[in-house]
Amino acid sequence: MELGVHAAPLDFSSTYPIPDLDEGTASLHALAHGAADAPQKIYSRLQQPTVSRFEGALAKLEGAEHAVAYASGMAALTAVLMTLRVRHPEDDRPHVLALRPIYGGSDHLLDHGLTGCQVEWVKPEDVARKIRPETRLIIAETPANPTLKWLDIEQLVADANGAPVLIDSTFATPVLQTPLAHGATFVLHSATKFLGGHGDVLGGIVASNDDEWAAAMRHVRVVTGACLHPMAAWLCLRSLPTLPLRVRRATETATALVDFLNRQPAVARVDYPRADHPLLGSQMLGRGSLISFELTGGYEAAVALMKAVKLCTPAVSLGSTDTLIQHPAGLTHHVVPEDQRIEAGITAGMIRLSVGLESEEDLARDLAQALAIAATSAPAENREPAAQDAATPSSEMA
Ligand SMILES: Cc1ncc(COP(=O)(O)O)c(C=O)c1O
């Protein structure tokens, strides 16, 4: 309102006029070292007004002092891992604990040593035992992708014994969960999902109350150039006012569809948080709009289901206005080593559904016809998804 406009302004400038060189140099110095703003704008890789506006809005929603936005969720996670080297130059390979399951791309990034961190995979019950004085970060996703298991953030923070905890809260959004209020140090979102909300944006954002760390995050963004485009920031900003409505409506529809899926003979099991989950009402304010389910016909039934849906879109990603259906073992988590995938509960017959804003009746009708086709197409011998190619480029992950 103070700008005298109703919709947020959108500035596409990549560079800005610098009439006063002394002021320009001082501003560049500040921004290049992680300042959030400076009197003179310099270059949009250093600071961008529309992106800053989105960061301010998300920080408020997460109850954080700072938020730093990136070109994608993966760029945001990479930046967090890179800041460990900035904050601890004495560490050759910063020690990180990570909990599975986690989004397949994040799993791949952590598992392949690309960021120079020494990553140890742990189960939630082993965190307290595996934590070391030199552990620099603990990474977990709750709700977890794709099993939808919930982790007790306060318990994890207690077990971390002072080590920083990063929660990927993409599935929850700040509408359902605010991890910093439960003691987490960082909260990460793939803004590509619910924050963008319409399947037309790629972005990532991390929020925290740690001033030094926020400066390091901006510093890493300046030098790596993993910036969020202003148009993407604007689309995210535009989508935030409808976020609570979208999340609540999709959650209501998902809850109704769970009952429907539980009655289908082609469905062996539905994974959806229970109505009496101990964290419901305290950590999570709703059960969310993602559902995973196991098909009795295994992989062949999954292939048939993905082909047979007409209203649901067979596609990766989630949190859009429309319903997306996908096969984690073959797509989002394909890059995870098979034994780890299976141990994490990601089976060949598992389907993940991201419920959108269509009517419950239309979705149930579509799923019923597709499940009927899937039920008839499953042979007795189940195939597995195609074997992994070690050289799979990470751009194939979503
Ligand atoms: C939970 C979660 N975190 C992070 C990411 C990565 O985000 P992006 O695709 O925006 O890089 C994804 C992508 O699917 C995700 O599901």
Side-chain angles (χ1 to χ4, degrees):
M1 187 123 82
E2 65 272 19
L3 296 170
V5 291
H6 180 54
L10 173 53
D11 167 12
F12 278 132
S13 302
S14 58
T15 194
Y16 295 88
I18 307 171
D20 182 325
L21 178 59
D22 285 338
E23 191 178 56
T25 305
S27 291
L28 180 136
H29 184 86
L31 293 170
H33 289 85
D37 204 358
Q40 168 68 59
K41 292 193 202 328
I42 305 288
Y43 188 57
S44 66
R45 176 157 50 75
L46 274 58
Q47 195 256 340
Q48 210 293 326
T50 310
V51 173
S52 299
R53 213 165 274 129
F54 169 51
E55 290 171 338
L58 196 276
K60 270 208 183 93
L61 291 176
E62 288 291 357
E65 286 290 318
H66 312 278
V68 188
Y70 295 86
S72 67
M74 290 312 300
L77 181 59
T78 304
V80 175
L81 294 166
M82 288 186 80
T83 60
L84 303 183
R85 305 291 292 275
V86 177
R87 298 286 299 273
H88 304 283
E90 70 282 11
D91 285 10
D92 217 20
R93 293 176 67 222
H95 182 243
V96 172
L97 292 183
L99 282 73
R100 280 186 170 121
I102 191 165
Y103 165 58
S106 310
D107 191 306
H108 187 75
L109 175 71
L110 292 164
D111 215 36
H112 280 63
L114 291 172
T115 55
C117 294
Q118 179 194 348
V119 176
E120 204 178 332
W121 294 99
V122 283
K123 299 205 178 315
E125 59 274 21
D126 294 333
V127 170
R129 204 165 47 80
K130 295 281 188 165
I131 203 96
R132 303 183 198 161
E134 73 275 17
T135 302
R136 302 301 183 202
L137 189 66
I138 299 159
I139 298 181
E141 221 173 78
T142 183
N145 184 356
T147 57
L148 306 177
K149 288 210 174 97
W150 291 358
L151 254 178
D152 185 333
I153 298 173
E154 288 178 11
Q155 183 60 54
L156 185 64
V157 169
D159 292 345
N161 198 22
V165 170
L166 179 145
I167 298 294
D168 183 328
S169 193
T170 298
F171 277 30
T173 84
V175 175
L176 299 183
Q177 175 175 273
T178 46
L180 302 187
H182 297 279
T185 322
F186 311 116
V187 53
L188 182 145
H189 292 278
S190 165
T192 314
K193 312 295 168 4
F194 291 95
L195 303 185
H198 297 71
D200 50 12
V201 162
L202 204 59
I205 192 157
V206 190
S208 178
N209 286 314
D210 185 323
D211 301 347
E212 248 188 82
W213 168 82
M217 286 291 281
R218 289 189 209 100
H219 179 178
V220 166
R221 183 176 58 187
V222 168
V223 293
T224 60
C227 308
L228 185 66
H229 190 274
M231 185 72 207
W234 190 89
L235 286 168
C236 288
L237 262 176
R238 202 262 320 252
S239 298
L240 286 182
T242 58
L243 181 66
L245 288 175
R246 287 186 279 114
V247 168
R248 285 193 199 115
R249 164 69 195 266
T251 295
E252 277 167 29
T253 309
T255 309
L257 283 177
V258 166
D259 288 340
F260 158 82
L261 287 167
N262 268 322
R263 292 194 304 271
Q264 304 305 304
V267 174
R269 192 191 70 246
V270 179
D271 293 323
Y272 189 68
R274 294 194 330 254
D276 61 350
H277 196 294
L279 295 173
L280 188 61
S282 50
Q283 180 178 304
M284 281 289 283
L285 301 183
R287 294 156 82 191
S289 54
L290 280 118
I291 306 169
S292 287
F293 54 94
E294 181 73 27
L295 294 168
T296 46
Y299 183 64
E300 294 294 352
V303 171
L305 184 71
M306 292 274 290
K307 270 203 188 99
V309 284
K310 294 196 173 90
L311 177 61
C312 305
T313 303
V316 296
S317 204
L318 58 111
S320 191
T321 47
D322 56 333
T323 297
L324 304 179
I325 189 165
Q326 70 104 10
H327 183 256
L331 296 168
T332 51
H333 292 71
H334 185 59
V335 287
V336 179
E338 193 178 351
D339 54 335
Q340 297 301 333
R341 219 164 54 203
I342 290 167
E343 195 181 325
I346 305 166
T347 57
M350 178 190 256
I351 289 287
R352 192 191 75 190
L353 191 69
S354 169
V355 177
L357 302 181
E358 304 90 338
S359 84
E360 173 206 327
E361 294 75 22
D362 288 350
L363 287 170
R365 203 172 304 120
D366 187 36
L367 288 167
Q369 66 80 24
L371 285 166
I373 294 171
T376 57
S377 67
E381 284 280 313
N382 267 316
R383 275 197 295 135
E384 291 285 321
Q388 283 177 32
D389 173 1
T392 305
S394 31
S395 58
E396 281 184 23
M397 292 176 273

